Amino acid sequence: MRYVDGVTTKKKISVIGLGAWQFGSREWGYGAAYAASEAPAIVRRAVELGVTFFDTAEVYGFGRSERILGGALNEANAFGTSFVATKIFPVLPVAPVVEQRGVASANRLGVRQIDLYQVHQPNPLIRDTTIMRGMASLQRVGLVSEVGVSNYSLERWQAAEEALGAPVLSNQVEFSLLRPRAETDLLPYAIKNDRLIIAYSPLAQGLLSGRYTREHRPSSRARAANPLFLPGNLDAARPVLNVLRDVAAGHNASPAQIALAWVIRHPNVVAIPGAANVAQLENNVAAADIELTEEEYGALKTASDAFEPTVGPRATVTAILRGGLGRS
Ligand SMILES: NC(=O)c1ccc[n+]([C@@H]2O[C@H](COP(=O)([O-])OP(=O)(O)OC[C@H]3O[C@@H](n4cnc5c(N)ncnc54)[C@H](OP(=O)(O)O)[C@@H]3O)[C@@H](O)[C@H]2O)c1
């Protein structure tokens, strides 16, 4: 395992972490046996392989994910080395609510201190001054070590830091070959200021494994809600998958591993793939050892830059920005 350089934290952060949305969440459709035995086995194996970064949220499985993750880390006696991140879903995030929800998350995880407490989404109506008052008091009493945000623009991340009066360590955003936007502003800010980008859906929810096509689409609710899995977008992603397969062949690796290797080639980044089973987790961890050449990175970047979703809200926005709507 490699660990993230350039970000100062009490515990080291593995470049490949583990996302725990799948644990106990109906929308992934992995079932009760997964929650009861496969998920804890994934955590145990992750610990054995040197993974230190674990991501969950109060909203995942309505607290079940936090309980499963905390229970498994406790059994593995791994709290001392694990960097555990969870998130508050910011509905009415006034300070007393933030404090009470932080305590509830710590209880479900079974920890005295949450290593990273993140705001899951920017609240469109409530400014960060309100939520950061609660975060600051959780830090003061030691229940929270670091504060993070998620799905924040650069401007709003900086506003959150001003409101906290201290660094907001991380911004958790979608970052993959099919969603590389973080490269433009968030990543340069993180690199310049010793902050962390937490790359979620680094495999585009499994699309970058190359297993899904318009004829074979995943049925789970999580992915039914993701426009990337619409037939037109699966077709549009084919050139990216072709380059992934070419590069993978040269490394005796899988396309998913190359997709992860591309994400973590960026400094100040931890990728947090979810896993349906232990074998996937092992495959994902091994991606930390893959070194892409400049040429391979360049070929992947070119394919990534050329990818345009053809259907869904983002495709419409792109078309408007390019003045493409209404053209014959
Ligand atoms: N902050 C936020 O708003 C936010 C949003 C989304 C996610 N997240 C976090 O980010 C984590 C990861 O994102 P994600 O789960 O959305 O997407 P992801 O990590 O890109 O995709 C995970 C899925 O990809 C497939 N997969 C994983 N490893 C594989 C491998 N080696 N080979 C082939 N297929 C593989 C599995 O699905 P199948 O085998 O069923 O195809 C797995 O469930 C989440 O668990 C969560 O912690 C945060």
Side-chain angles (χ1 to χ4, degrees):
M1 179 53 72
R2 280 195 296 117
Y3 297 89
V4 177
D5 273 339
V7 179
T8 312
T9 45
K10 282 191 212 154
K11 300 171 185 171
K12 55 186 184 171
I13 293 176
S14 51
V15 290
I16 299 285
L18 176 65
W21 176 13
Q22 283 76 356
F23 295 5
S25 300
R26 293 223 168 81
E27 58 271 30
W28 279 88
Y30 290 159
Y34 174 83
S37 56
E38 193 70 22
I42 289 169
V43 175
R44 276 197 301 277
R45 188 69 182 127
V47 169
E48 282 168 10
L49 294 174
V51 171
T52 60
F53 191 93
F54 297 88
D55 178 71
T56 182
E58 62 175 4
V59 80
Y60 297 163
F62 303 104
R64 280 192 293 274
S65 171
E66 289 180 325
R67 284 202 184 87
I68 293 168
L69 177 64
L73 287 173
N74 184 37
E75 269 178 34
N77 203 14
F79 275 131
T81 47
S82 302
F83 191 100
V84 181
T86 191
K87 314 182 197 82
I88 178 170
F89 203 78
V91 180
L92 203 70
V94 292
V97 171
V98 175
E99 289 162 30
Q100 177 252 317
R101 303 258 288 276
V103 171
S105 275
N107 284 340
R108 281 190 294 268
L109 284 162
V111 293
R112 286 216 194 101
Q113 185 175 62
I114 298 169
D115 297 300
L116 177 65
Y117 198 34
Q118 307 158 95
V119 186
H120 207 142
Q121 304 276 353
N123 185 308
L125 303 175
I126 299 178
R127 287 193 307 162
D128 293 299
T129 38
T130 306
I131 194 161
M132 289 303 157
R133 258 198 298 280
M135 289 292 194
S137 69
L138 287 172
Q139 274 188 312
R140 252 192 322 274
V141 298
L143 195 100
V144 162
S145 179
E146 302 282 354
V147 173
V149 291
S150 176
N151 298 303
Y152 270 45
S153 66
L154 178 58
E155 295 67 35
R156 189 125 183 200
W157 186 3
Q158 289 168 326
E161 299 203 308
E162 204 178 316
L164 186 67
V168 168
L169 177 74
S170 57
N171 195 353
Q172 182 175 143
V173 291
E174 192 174 8
F175 186 36
S176 74
L177 279 163
L178 299 184
R179 298 277 200 236
R181 242 213 92 221
E183 276 184 331
T184 55
D185 55 353
L186 298 178
L187 201 49
Y189 178 75
I191 293 167
K192 188 155 175 251
N193 297 284
D194 301 340
R195 305 287 194 268
L196 181 68
I197 296 295
I198 303 172
Y200 79 67
S201 305
L203 297 172
Q205 297 197 326
L207 198 164
L208 292 171
S209 71
R211 282 167 59 205
Y212 298 110
T213 60
R214 65 157 57 227
E215 292 80 26
H216 173 59
R217 291 160 63 203
S219 55
S220 61
R221 259 193 292 135
R223 290 180 279 200
N226 182 344
L228 283 177
F229 286 92
L230 291 171
N233 292 338
L234 284 164
D235 291 347
R238 277 206 300 243
V240 177
L241 289 168
N242 288 339
V243 180
L244 273 176
R245 287 193 188 96
D246 283 350
V247 175
H251 286 269
N252 200 14
S254 68
Q257 287 178 311
I258 300 301
L260 292 175
W262 183 86
V263 169
I264 59 172
R265 198 173 187 271
H266 300 85
N268 296 54
V269 170
V270 49
I272 53 164
N277 50 51
V278 172
Q280 285 186 354
L281 175 271
E282 290 173 342
N283 197 259
N284 296 341
V285 167
D289 297 326
I290 296 175
E291 275 182 39
L292 299 175
T293 63
E294 279 299 328
E295 204 188 347
E296 289 166 338
Y297 178 82
L300 289 162
K301 172 103 182 91
T302 305
S304 167
D305 288 345
F307 170 74
E308 287 296 350
T310 58
V311 278
R314 215 170 288 219
T316 310
V317 171
T318 308
I320 291 167
L321 290 175
R322 292 185 168 176
L325 283 188
R327 277 191 208 155
S328 57

